[in-house]
């Protein structure tokens, strides 16, 4: 049997175990604001890599070669032509997948190209901002963004912006390092604020009491930025940043590259990017004004905050309430704010700390991603599921916060789940890889939190690793290292557009998304760990309808062997309806039900009395 025939047979088998997809969601535009964050299914995309609706803006209005325009559709690190008009025309596709909210990668104007000679790449991803007030011309215009938000809202869909308060593009240079070269971090102890170039240097900034005294009076004394390095802006870029206050080197830390830990985690330059002095009240108020204006003008529904762990907690303590107040004044009562606190581990405490110390309302759930990644690659840590579930109590407000955390299995930085499955099992068949991916999707779409689908996962994209290797085009790609990838569940390649709705992963996600959204137990219900193995095997949890208390049993087999086990349920859960997979019709005895699962299978079972 050919690969395509095997995949087709498997798709039919999987489809038979799934609920039938309902029609596309038709939430009235007048009511979508009422949904809580946990009532959403999020779809995340980078506009440049999604769809090209207007080829005339591919070069962003610039002329010259790719080092001037940033445009080279054959290179993975440059602009490819995707834009907001392309996204608008694919809203129906996203809604058919079951998504109710769109997290749009940063759309602000970026520095087109940066990097040392021979190592240049473009700002296609949106994280090298020069103008915080307008859309990058490669992606369209502010009017296009308004059209996107309005079109999404007309469908009852929310729009979340990806924002950055930690840094701007790399414009500031240091005399001691030279253009384009890496500058190591210089600590406060070795380079104190009141001395130029070290403890023995000339006295500067008299009376400055340090970054911890975050008052206008104290920061008025920090007038000389040459304590660690001698920062300067090349004349050609003297006025490149908008608003104009961002062009003043005094509003940056200027201490060299972060090591990502210790003091440098918040005071160092992230990969050379200009690190804003977010302790300074001038910067705090400036960022509040910038992002509050996007809420005022466009009525967006939430912010995903990039590099949130690299900003001091006091900044977020002022920024978050200000954004929520702006949103409420705009008629947006459930404005969702979630930070990227990137720790690729099961250490829930590091994530929970950001909701307590930093006072972030929610964070991307890296611990969930790690647990699922380990489960489907056969590398589960001892006690992983206990740590994940019990760890919900560590978040500010406990489960009430945990249920709002966006969960995910793939992203544009760490890479796609399919890549790690194939890396762990290089000899696995296509069918096995697809089933492991589907098992992960089932966990994602039924667990507590807000499931977040990374664009391309629903089409079987697997990538070659993280960062640029996981940022494939959804429209027909010209990048050779993308087009030679073997997709999951498909004989196609990324050389053709992928907006069809017949891929087995698309069908599975669409079915599970609609199942989730039709059962409050799966969106808002508390979660109880019923059974787990510390090796490939059974994972079982129950979720409960917040109004009726009705139980929903979720069971997963992460092993390559079938299993039959008894699983604890509520004594009153005596009968079960199969919503996905296969469930026993009735309990074996009060408080116990027989669970039978094939290799990598799962089931969603609704209990009745």
């Amino acid at each position: 049997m050919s690969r395509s025939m095997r995949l087709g047979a498997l798709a039919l088998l999987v489809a038979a175990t799934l609920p039938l997809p309902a029609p596309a969601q038709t939430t009235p535009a007048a009511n979508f604001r009422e949904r809580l964050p946990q009532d959403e299914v999020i779809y995340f995309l980078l506009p440049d890599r999604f769809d090209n609706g207007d080829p005339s803006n591919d070069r962003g209005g610039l002329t010259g070669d790719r080092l001037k325009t940033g445009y080279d559709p054959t290179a993975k690190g440059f602009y490819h032509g995707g834009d907001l008009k392309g996204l608008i025309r694919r809203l129906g596709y996203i809604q058919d997948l079951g998504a109710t909210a769109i997290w749009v990668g940063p759309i602000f104007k970026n520095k087109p190209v940066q990097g040392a000679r021979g190592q240049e790449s473009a700002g296609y991803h949106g994280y090298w901002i020069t103008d915080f007030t307008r859309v990058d011309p490669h992606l369209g215009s502010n009017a296009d963004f308004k059209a996107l938000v309005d079109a999404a809202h007309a469908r009852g869909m929310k729009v979340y912006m990806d924002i950055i308060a930690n840094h701007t593009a790399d414009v500031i240079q240091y005399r001691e390092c030279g253009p384009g070269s890496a500058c190591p971090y210089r600590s406060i102890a070795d380079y104190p604020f009141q001395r130029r170039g070290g403890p023995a240097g000339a006295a500067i900034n008299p009376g400055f009491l340090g970054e911890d005294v975050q008052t206008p009076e104290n920061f008025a004394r920090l007038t000389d930025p040459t304590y660690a390095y001698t920062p300067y802006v090349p004349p050609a870029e003297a006025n490149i940043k908008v608003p104009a206050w961002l062009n003043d080197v005094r509003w940056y830390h200027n201490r060299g590259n972060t090591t990502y830990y210790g003091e440098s985690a918040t005071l160092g330059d992230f990969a050379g990017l200009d690190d804003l002095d977010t302790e300074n009240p001038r910067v705090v108020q400036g960022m509040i004004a910038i992002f509050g204006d996007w809420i005022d003008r466009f009525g967006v529904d939430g912010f995903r905050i990039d590099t949130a762990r690299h900003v001091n907690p006091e900044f977020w303590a002022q920024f978050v309430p200000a954004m929520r107040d702006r949103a409420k004044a705009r008629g947006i009562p459930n404005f969702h704010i979630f930070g990227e606190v990137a720790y690729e581990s099961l250490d829930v405490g590091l994530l929970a700390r950001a909701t307590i110390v930093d006072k972030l309302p929610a964070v991307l759930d890296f611990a969930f991603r790690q647990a699922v990644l380990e489960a489907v690659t056969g590398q589960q840590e001892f006690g992983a599921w206990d740590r994940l579930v019990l760890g919900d109590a560590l978040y500010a407000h406990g489960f009430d916060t945990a249920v709002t955390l966006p969960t995910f299995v793939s992203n544009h930085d760490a890479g796609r789940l399919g890549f790690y499955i194939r890396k762990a099992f290089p000899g696995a068949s296509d069918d096995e890889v697809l089933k492991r991916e589907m098992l992960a999707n089932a966990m994602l779409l039924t667990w507590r939190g807000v499931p977040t689908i990374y664009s391309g996962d629903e089409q079987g994209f697997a990538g070659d690793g993280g960062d640029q290797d996981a940022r494939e085009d959804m429209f027909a790609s010209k990048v050779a290292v993308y087009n030679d990838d073997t997709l999951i569940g498909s004989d196609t390649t990324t050389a053709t557009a992928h907006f069809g709705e017949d891929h087995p992963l698309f069908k599975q996600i669409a079915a599970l998304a609609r199942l989730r959204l039709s059962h409050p137990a799966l969106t808002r219900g508390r979660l109880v760990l019923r059974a787990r193995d510390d090796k490939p095997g059974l994972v079982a949890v129950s979720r409960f309808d917040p109004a009726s208390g009705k139980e929903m049993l979720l069971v997963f087999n992460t092993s390559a062997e079938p299993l039959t086990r008894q699983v604890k349920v509520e004594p009153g859960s005596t009968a079960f309806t199969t919503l996905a997979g296969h469930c026993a019709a009735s309990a074996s005895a009060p408080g116990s039900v027989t669970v039978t699962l094939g290799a990598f299978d799962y089931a969603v079972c609704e209990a009745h009395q």
Side-chain angles (χ1 to χ4, degrees):
M1 184 182 294
S2 69
R3 180 172 185 264
S4 59
M5 292 176 65
R6 291 197 310 273
L7 292 172
L10 180 60
L12 291 172
L13 177 63
V14 170
T17 68
L18 292 172
L20 292 174
Q25 201 162 320
T26 57
T27 304
N31 298 331
F32 74 96
R33 299 280 199 198
E34 299 173 8
R35 299 197 303 259
L36 296 176
Q38 55 266 43
D39 295 337
E40 312 297 340
V41 173
I42 302 172
Y43 188 80
F44 166 56
L45 59 94
L46 295 175
D48 177 67
R49 302 300 167 91
F50 195 63
D51 195 24
N52 189 350
D54 183 4
S56 71
N57 63 28
D58 288 354
R59 291 171 174 80
L62 303 171
T63 58
D65 64 13
R66 72 176 194 167
L67 296 184
K68 297 293 185 181
T69 68
Y71 177 68
D72 182 351
T74 69
K76 64 182 179 179
F78 284 76
Y79 284 97
H80 290 174
D83 51 37
L84 296 177
K85 287 182 179 177
L87 173 53
I88 292 170
R89 75 179 181 187
R90 298 297 182 181
L91 288 176
Y93 166 86
I94 296 171
Q95 195 164 42
D96 286 348
L97 184 64
T100 61
I102 307 168
W103 157 15
V104 183
I107 49 88
F108 313 99
K109 185 179 179 182
N110 267 230
K111 191 172 184 177
V113 178
Q114 65 181 42
R117 185 180 297 274
Q119 301 175 27
E120 300 94 344
S121 62
Y124 69 91
H125 42 68
Y127 296 108
W128 299 344
I129 303 172
T130 56
D131 187 341
F132 285 82
T133 69
R134 61 179 291 204
V135 168
D136 191 301
H138 291 86
L139 306 180
S141 65
N142 286 14
D144 291 333
F145 186 64
K146 184 179 188 304
L148 167 65
V149 175
D150 290 348
H153 286 174
R155 291 174 172 269
M157 302 174 76
K158 296 181 180 180
V159 177
Y160 299 153
M161 293 184 75
D162 200 321
I163 69 167
I164 303 95
N166 176 65
H167 59 261
T168 71
D170 183 11
V171 174
I172 298 172
Q173 305 297 314
Y174 302 134
R175 301 281 182 196
E176 293 79 359
C177 304
S181 61
C183 299
Y185 183 75
R186 290 184 168 179
S187 70
I188 295 174
D190 292 327
Y191 295 87
F193 287 106
Q194 294 195 42
R195 293 292 184 272
R196 178 177 292 130
I204 58 174
N205 303 317
F208 181 64
L209 301 176
E211 300 270 295
D212 292 338
V213 181
Q214 296 167 13
T215 64
E217 295 77 16
N218 183 46
F219 274 88
R221 304 183 185 107
L222 186 63
T223 59
D224 190 332
T226 61
Y227 37 81
Y229 286 102
T230 308
Y232 72 97
V233 175
E237 297 181 318
N239 298 301
I240 194 175
K241 295 181 185 178
V242 181
W245 64 267
L246 289 165
N247 293 300
D248 191 329
V249 298
R250 291 178 300 162
W251 311 135
Y252 299 84
H253 286 129
N254 301 312
R255 288 190 172 274
N257 283 350
T258 181
T259 65
Y260 305 102
Y261 294 96
E263 175 187 296
S264 80
T266 55
L267 300 185
D269 297 341
F270 191 97
L273 298 166
D274 299 350
D275 198 66
L276 283 157
D277 188 354
T278 47
E279 291 81 6
N280 192 315
R282 175 67 182 91
V283 175
V284 176
Q285 293 308 311
M287 289 289 105
I288 287 174
I290 285 170
F291 293 116
D293 189 54
W294 284 91
I295 298 173
D296 294 345
R297 286 189 292 162
F298 299 98
V300 294
D301 305 284
F303 288 154
R304 179 266 190 182
I305 303 173
D306 180 67
T307 52
R309 63 172 276 216
H310 300 293
V311 175
N312 57 299
E314 298 86 355
F315 176 90
W316 300 126
Q318 297 179 71
F319 182 86
V320 168
M323 294 302 100
R324 284 181 154 177
D325 288 346
R326 294 287 274 269
K328 287 178 181 177
R330 186 65 163 74
I332 309 168
N334 297 308
F335 194 80
H336 197 188
I337 299 176
F338 50 100
E340 180 203 27
V341 181
Y343 292 101
E344 294 181 17
S345 74
L346 269 165
D347 195 337
V348 176
L350 291 172
L351 298 176
R353 179 184 183 279
T355 68
I356 297 171
V357 176
D358 298 86
K359 295 183 173 58
L360 290 170
V363 294
L364 285 167
D365 197 345
F366 280 85
F368 173 85
R369 183 254 183 181
Q370 187 67 22
V372 174
L373 174 66
E374 292 179 2
V376 299
T377 59
Q379 302 167 10
Q380 194 72 57
E381 297 177 41
F382 180 81
W385 297 111
D386 301 77
R387 291 163 61 188
L388 184 67
V389 174
L390 297 177
D392 282 354
L394 299 178
Y395 293 99
H397 313 296
F399 184 80
D400 289 345
T401 292
V403 77
T404 69
L405 307 183
T407 51
F408 64 100
V409 297
S410 300
N411 75 10
H412 59 314
D413 291 327
R416 297 187 185 275
L417 182 68
F419 167 77
Y420 292 100
I421 293 172
R422 284 178 169 156
K423 183 179 179 181
F425 303 103
S429 68
D430 297 331
D431 292 357
E432 180 180 332
V433 173
L434 178 60
K435 292 205 71 174
R436 287 181 183 271
E437 182 97 3
M438 287 181 157
L439 178 64
N441 287 340
M443 292 178 171
L444 175 66
L445 285 153
T446 58
W447 208 269
R448 69 98 184 98
V450 191
T452 303
I453 311 299
Y454 177 34
S455 67
D457 268 16
E458 77 278 11
Q459 297 290 344
F461 290 11
D464 295 315
D467 198 76
Q468 295 178 6
D469 289 324
R471 298 174 180 177
E472 304 97 321
D473 304 306
M474 289 286 286
F475 59 106
S477 182
K478 298 179 181 178
V479 180
V481 294
Y482 293 162
N483 294 342
D484 66 3
D485 292 349
T486 300
L487 303 191
I488 299 169
S490 173
D491 281 331
T492 64
T493 74
T494 53
T496 60
H498 279 78
F499 294 104
E501 300 186 7
D502 58 351
H503 192 288
L505 289 171
F506 185 101
K507 291 181 176 179
Q508 183 214 18
I509 291 170
L512 288 176
R514 291 179 171 85
L515 174 63
R516 178 185 184 88
L517 296 173
S518 62
H519 291 83
L522 297 179
T523 55
R524 304 184 181 188
R526 66 185 177 92
L527 183 147
V528 174
L529 182 62
R530 292 300 197 188
R532 86 287 182 273
D533 292 331
D534 287 315
K535 59 182 180 179
L538 178 67
V539 182
V541 299
S542 289
R543 300 196 66 185
F544 297 88
D545 187 293
S548 68
K550 182 185 294 186
E551 182 172 10
M552 189 84 72
L553 180 66
L554 317 173
V555 291
F556 313 90
N557 180 9
T558 65
S559 77
E561 301 295 331
L563 62 81
T564 297
R565 295 268 290 277
Q566 296 301 124
V567 172
K568 178 183 177 182
V569 291
E570 295 299 297
S573 296
T574 58
F576 295 89
T577 299
T578 297
L579 300 182
H582 174 75
C583 305
S586 59
S588 306
S592 178
V593 65
T594 302
V595 169
T596 299
L597 295 169
F600 314 120
D601 275 350
Y602 61 90
V604 179
C605 311
E606 185 178 32
H608 306 276
Q609 292 186 350

